[in-house]
Amino acid sequence: MPVTLYHFPASPPSRIALAAAKVVGVDVDVKIVNLFAGEHLKEEFVKINPQHTVPTIDDNGFILWDSHAIATYFVSQYGKDDSLYPKEAKQKALVDQRLFFEAGTMSSRMRDIVYPVLFLGKTSVEDSVKASAYEAIGFLEKFLEPSGWVAGDHLTIADVACAVTATSMQAMGLDFSGYPNTQDWMERCKKIPGFQEANEEGVTLFGEKVRSQLPPNHLAP
Ligand SMILES: N[C@@H](CCC(=O)N[C@@H](CS)C(=O)NCC(=O)O)C(=O)O
């Protein structure tokens, strides 16, 4: 039986889970939860996930939410080997660190821009908020220096997670021209089989939605 994925394409974390499923090769049955229509607050969804966030999965009765937990679960449970999420303690710790970086720094700084614009009607972004998003991109640029991958010397699930967020940041108008490692890596991530299938449509929608609420080039450095 396929894994049910409760998903909303415009949501970056939700696209992380879908991209992880596609890259790992997990059979998923996607059920759309329209956040703009408040479907995540309906009783039947809150019963499954009291935190009412997408992505959430139901793997034949095993319920899990948070994109990072879902992505690593997919590799551990369904991966053909452990290369996307190594079992060796130090390699795994590095991947975890980058996933926590994605959650605690990249995503959170992107959300500081997006949430007030999409949900509170704000039509401008303070310089300090913008600067902290660029600082996060700068950290990523450094992480990519040694090998061109986010954690260790090969593609891992942390690349998938960070690439969904980086492409989302770019789509909403942050300018990556000063970050050559990141630009090159994003292009390589787009070629990972399954990545674009999971990300492309939603990232375009997301970018258009955010940009439509802001003045032109508002997020340029
Ligand atoms: N850390 C979580 C964040 C999930 C999250 O906040 N999802 C948002 C959409 S981008 C959501 O479902 N918001 C609805 C809500 O919080 O009620 C993850 O990585 O999955």
Side-chain angles (χ1 to χ4, degrees), residues 11-13 35 40-41 51-55 66-68:
S11 154
L35 298 185
H40 58 303
L41 300 175
Q51 204 182 329
H52 47 75
T53 49
V54 290
D66 189 277
S67 58
H68 314 87

Side-chain angles (χ1 to χ4, degrees), residues 39-108:
E39 287 178 2
H40 58 303
L41 300 175
K42 286 189 173 165
E43 197 184 333
E44 61 262 33
F45 188 63
V46 176
K47 232 185 242 170
I48 298 167
N49 173 356
Q51 204 182 329
H52 47 75
T53 49
V54 290
T56 295
I57 59 165
D58 179 350
D59 186 358
N60 299 287
F62 174 62
I63 309 290
L64 186 67
W65 58 92
D66 189 277
S67 58
H68 314 87
I70 293 169
T72 53
Y73 170 72
F74 281 161
V75 184
S76 305
Q77 181 73 5
Y78 295 105
K80 63 176 184 348
D81 57 41
D82 74 347
S83 94
L84 287 167
Y85 189 48
K87 290 194 178 72
E88 193 279 319
K90 291 191 173 68
Q91 289 182 47
K92 177 175 181 290
L94 266 185
V95 175
D96 288 337
Q97 189 270 316
R98 302 306 201 239
L99 288 170
F100 294 135
F101 165 75
E102 193 289 322
T105 303
M106 282 185 86
S107 259
S108 129

Side-chain angles (χ1 to χ4, degrees), residues 2-162:
V3 174
T4 301
L5 171 64
Y6 295 94
H7 175 60
F8 187 53
S11 154
S14 205
R15 276 182 276 117
I16 290 177
L18 183 60
K22 296 292 173 194
V23 171
V24 173
V26 182
D27 185 14
V28 281
D29 175 20
V30 173
K31 287 200 164 46
I32 301 293
V33 178
N34 187 338
L35 298 185
F36 294 145
E39 287 178 2
H40 58 303
L41 300 175
K42 286 189 173 165
E43 197 184 333
E44 61 262 33
F45 188 63
V46 176
K47 232 185 242 170
I48 298 167
N49 173 356
Q51 204 182 329
H52 47 75
T53 49
V54 290
T56 295
I57 59 165
D58 179 350
D59 186 358
N60 299 287
F62 174 62
I63 309 290
L64 186 67
W65 58 92
D66 189 277
S67 58
H68 314 87
I70 293 169
T72 53
Y73 170 72
F74 281 161
V75 184
S76 305
Q77 181 73 5
Y78 295 105
K80 63 176 184 348
D81 57 41
D82 74 347
S83 94
L84 287 167
Y85 189 48
K87 290 194 178 72
E88 193 279 319
K90 291 191 173 68
Q91 289 182 47
K92 177 175 181 290
L94 266 185
V95 175
D96 288 337
Q97 189 270 316
R98 302 306 201 239
L99 288 170
F100 294 135
F101 165 75
E102 193 289 322
T105 303
M106 282 185 86
S107 259
S108 129
R109 294 183 188 190
M110 177 170 71
R111 190 176 187 277
D112 289 343
I113 295 176
V114 171
Y115 187 82
V117 169
L118 292 190
F119 295 101
L120 305 176
K122 273 196 78 171
T123 52
S124 67
V125 178
E126 282 154 38
D127 284 349
S128 59
V129 172
K130 215 190 302 183
S132 91
Y134 278 109
E135 186 188 40
I137 300 168
F139 293 144
L140 181 62
E141 178 74 5
K142 275 269 168 213
F143 301 162
L144 290 165
E145 252 169 35
S147 72
W149 297 108
V150 161
D153 61 3
H154 65 274
L155 169 73
T156 66
I157 205 69
D159 290 285
V160 175
C162 291

